[in-house]
Amino acid sequence: GKPVNRKKAFGIIIAVIIIAIIVALLFLGSQGKTDSGDGYKITDQKIETIDSLPYVTGRVNNTCGRKETIAMTWHLYNSSGTEIGTALGAAENIDAGETADFKAIVILNDINADPSEIASFELSGVTFLKQENAKLQAEIDAYKKKSK
C-alpha cells in the first residue's frame, strides 16, 4: 500500500481539533456567562433585545442563606474593549437557595449609540439590598438613641 503522508494526517488532526474547539466555544457562548461569589451564583447571562430595548438577562441563585433582594450591575464594552455603558437589574425577595430570572436594563453612555455595538459585558457589582437596608436602619436607630 501507499505510505501515509504524515504531514497531511497531522494537518487533518489539527483541523479536527480546531473545529471541536470552535463548536465548544459556540455552544458555551449560547449558554451564557456564569459568575459566582459570596452569597450568589449568576448564570445564563446574555444580552437580549426585549420590546426593542437591550437587557442583560439571566438567572440568579441566592446562596446567602436568607431571603434577599439581589441587585446587580454590569460594565458593557464595544468590540475594541471601550466601556460604552452599564446595565442595572435586581431579583427581589428570593428565598434562600432559590433561583430567579432577572432582566437588567441597559444604559448606554451615548444616548444615540446603537445597542448592537455591545460586544461584551462584565459583572461589576452585587449588592444584597435587605442586608444593606438593615445596616442603614441600625445606624439610624443608633443615631436616634444618641440624639435623645
Side-chain angles (χ1 to χ4, degrees):
K2 218 170 152 192
V4 176
N5 181 335
R6 285 187 108 144
K7 263 190 177 159
K8 191 175 180 184
F10 186 70
I12 291 169
I13 290 167
I14 294 298
V16 168
I17 290 170
I18 289 170
I19 290 166
I21 290 169
I22 290 168
V23 169
L25 288 174
L26 288 172
F27 179 73
L28 289 171
S30 71
Q31 296 297 299
K33 282 173 86 169
T34 295
D35 282 292
S36 55
D38 193 16
Y40 67 89
K41 183 174 183 183
I42 305 167
T43 56
D44 302 328
Q45 299 170 71
K46 51 189 168 291
I47 300 282
E48 257 187 292
T49 302
I50 303 165
D51 298 329
S52 74
L53 290 173
Y55 292 89
V56 172
T57 62
R59 297 174 60 72
V60 59
N61 177 236
N62 175 5
T63 60
C64 75
R66 62 183 181 280
K67 188 175 197 162
E68 192 51 271
T69 293
I70 302 176
M72 299 154 283
T73 56
W74 289 262
H75 294 303
L76 308 172
Y77 303 96
N78 65 13
S79 56
S80 60
T82 303
E83 189 175 336
I84 58 169
T86 307
L88 308 166
E92 295 182 49
N93 298 315
I94 316 168
D95 286 320
E98 293 299 307
T99 300
D101 294 330
F102 66 82
K103 212 166 69 169
I105 187 78
V106 163
I107 301 154
L108 294 173
N109 299 343
D110 174 0
I111 199 89
N112 301 313
D114 185 341
S116 69
E117 287 178 36
I118 303 165
S120 63
F121 57 94
E122 204 165 292
L123 185 70
S124 58
V126 174
T127 307
F128 297 100
L129 293 182
K130 288 182 184 296
Q131 184 181 32
E132 289 303 310
N133 288 345
K135 282 182 195 167
L136 284 172
Q137 193 58 55
E139 286 175 24
I140 291 166
D141 293 346
Y143 179 77
K144 280 181 181 170
K145 275 182 190 158
K146 268 188 208 163
S147 61
K148 275 185 181 171

